[in-house]
Amino acid sequence: MRVALLTAISLTLSGCVGNPDFDLRVKDSEYGSAVFRIASIMANVKCELWEAANSEQELPSFHNDTDLRRRETEQAEPDRVFNLKNIFSTIAYVGEMSITLDATERSGVSPSAHFFGWGSDARPLSVDAEASLSGVGHRESTTYHSVDFERLVQGEDVPAAKPPAAPCRTGTELSGPLKIVEILQAGLVASDMNDISVWPGNASNPGAGKGGVGDRYSAGQIHAVVDFTTVSSISGGPTWSLRHFEGPGKGLLNASRVAKHQLIFTFIPICIRNKYQRIKATLPHEYEPKLPRGSPRWANYLPPCGTARAAETRAVALGRAHDVNVMERSRELRILQ
């Protein structure tokens, strides 16, 4: 009977676990947490992307050696300084960003009891009994969004998006920086140092073709994954102690909530923007005015943005960026399993 009572306690105290909210702080009764969290993430990501792409902080150029000696360069004109703004106003990048909202809630009860004082003094008897009941609720949502850096940095190509009206990271979500600027800076510094790429005409890699680096080859692709996870938990419960009974124990109630949200970026260079005129049609191209310092060596293999080849490259790049993001998401799911 006591064991049956213990089980009844477990069933009574355990609540139903439904689909969890993506955010504990639901801000509007009409829309709910998913709408406000995704809107907050998008606003902060756009803000950081705009700030990063327009950064005028000068980047270092290193010799291609492990001692990382800096290259000695003369003072450059402002539009030729090696920084993100000058590079992205020269090289058009497109890509994709995926946003995943993932929340898991677990709740349950695990009462335990210790019955003692049974039997005789010569043969004392005690009985331990445990029961448990738990439930898990999980919800996940992934959205995919294309990114065009020509909309981030002012140029002659297309109208640029308006800069953020308020400082980044001022909302209730993502109060800390995603550090997108560091991701882009690291990618471009690495590209500036890379002089060992295989280009068309190299006999060791004939598959690259004569017209340029083929679709299978990545030149300057920047890929990054940013996770931000919050974990909340509660456990405990009353402890009853009677003459012949102790229970249900401190582990009676337990509940946890894990919200793991993820951003995946893939950005790919496609062409040289309209500010620069191609003066040499054969590969590698030459452009006037000269490309900014720090422009990677593969930049002279990119076509002008106004050409048919550039339009084709854009479509291919967007498809490739999506494939990379989907493969990254699949890899993350396999790790979680």
Side-chain angles (χ1 to χ4, degrees):
M1 184 176 66
R2 290 186 174 95
V3 174
L5 177 61
L6 189 65
T7 304
I9 293 174
S10 172
L11 293 172
T12 302
L13 293 177
S14 178
C16 294
V17 177
N19 289 328
D21 286 327
F22 288 126
D23 186 358
L24 287 175
R25 294 167 292 181
V26 177
K27 305 172 187 66
D28 189 284
S29 59
E30 181 179 355
Y31 294 109
S33 65
V35 169
F36 282 91
R37 179 173 274 274
I38 199 72
S40 178
I41 292 174
M42 282 296 296
N44 278 281
V45 168
K46 284 173 57 182
C47 190
E48 283 205 35
L49 270 175
W50 193 94
E51 281 191 349
N54 287 277
S55 171
E56 297 184 16
Q57 179 184 6
E58 186 172 0
L59 300 177
S61 288
F62 298 101
H63 287 280
N64 298 325
D65 208 341
T66 55
D67 59 5
L68 294 182
R69 289 178 297 116
R70 292 200 180 194
R71 295 176 187 163
E72 298 294 333
T73 57
E74 298 178 358
Q75 184 67 32
E77 296 296 323
D79 60 350
R80 294 202 65 234
V81 172
F82 184 21
N83 59 40
L84 294 183
K85 182 177 181 180
N86 287 340
I87 294 297
F88 290 128
S89 65
T90 301
I91 304 172
Y93 272 74
V94 297
E96 184 183 83
M97 169 184 67
S98 68
I99 302 177
T100 298
L101 306 181
D102 188 310
T104 301
E105 288 185 356
R106 292 178 172 85
S107 66
V109 290
S110 301
S112 61
H114 177 67
F115 301 95
F116 57 91
W118 294 3
S120 63
D121 294 338
R123 291 182 175 82
L125 177 65
S126 63
V127 176
D128 292 319
E130 295 182 357
S132 64
L133 181 67
S134 63
V136 178
H138 175 257
R139 189 155 61 129
E140 177 187 313
S141 172
T142 300
T143 56
Y144 297 89
H145 313 273
S146 61
V147 178
D148 188 345
F149 278 73
E150 290 178 281
R151 293 279 290 149
L152 293 172
V153 182
Q154 185 68 42
E156 304 173 2
D157 317 85
V158 294
K162 293 181 179 180
C168 301
R169 302 174 297 278
T170 55
T172 57
E173 300 298 336
L174 297 185
S175 58
L178 297 171
K179 298 185 178 180
I180 296 175
V181 64
E182 293 185 5
I183 295 171
L184 299 179
Q185 288 174 335
L188 291 178
V189 168
S191 293
D192 174 47
M193 296 179 66
N194 179 17
D195 62 353
I196 56 175
S197 297
V198 176
W199 299 109
N202 190 310
S204 67
N205 201 351
K210 297 181 179 179
V213 177
D215 297 342
R216 293 169 291 172
Y217 303 91
S218 59
Q221 177 174 297
I222 300 174
H223 176 73
V225 179
V226 180
D227 292 329
F228 42 105
T229 303
T230 57
V231 179
S232 56
S233 63
I234 185 173
S235 63
T239 299
W240 305 330
S241 181
L242 304 177
R243 182 178 180 183
H244 298 292
F245 170 77
E246 288 183 359
K250 294 183 179 180
L252 172 62
L253 302 174
N254 58 82
S256 65
R257 181 181 188 278
V258 178
K260 178 182 178 181
H261 306 312
Q262 185 178 73
L263 300 176
I264 301 177
F265 304 94
T266 301
F267 302 135
I268 299 174
I270 56 171
C271 57
I272 301 298
R273 298 182 67 174
N274 293 345
K275 174 182 176 181
Y276 299 88
Q277 300 298 314
R278 184 172 59 180
I279 60 175
K280 179 185 174 185
T282 57
L283 293 173
H285 304 308
E286 290 183 11
Y287 287 93
E288 185 66 35
K290 291 184 178 180
L291 303 184
R293 288 182 176 169
S295 296
R297 290 159 179 79
W298 45 256
N300 291 95
Y301 289 82
L302 296 175
C305 286
T307 61
R309 182 181 163 216
E312 180 181 351
T313 303
R314 179 186 297 269
V316 171
L318 288 171
R320 188 167 73 215
H322 178 71
D323 291 342
V324 171
N325 285 0
V326 169
M327 286 190 294
E328 178 65 41
R329 182 61 187 152
S330 299
R331 185 184 73 86
E332 291 283 332
L333 291 175
R334 289 196 298 271
I335 292 174
L336 292 175
Q337 291 174 353

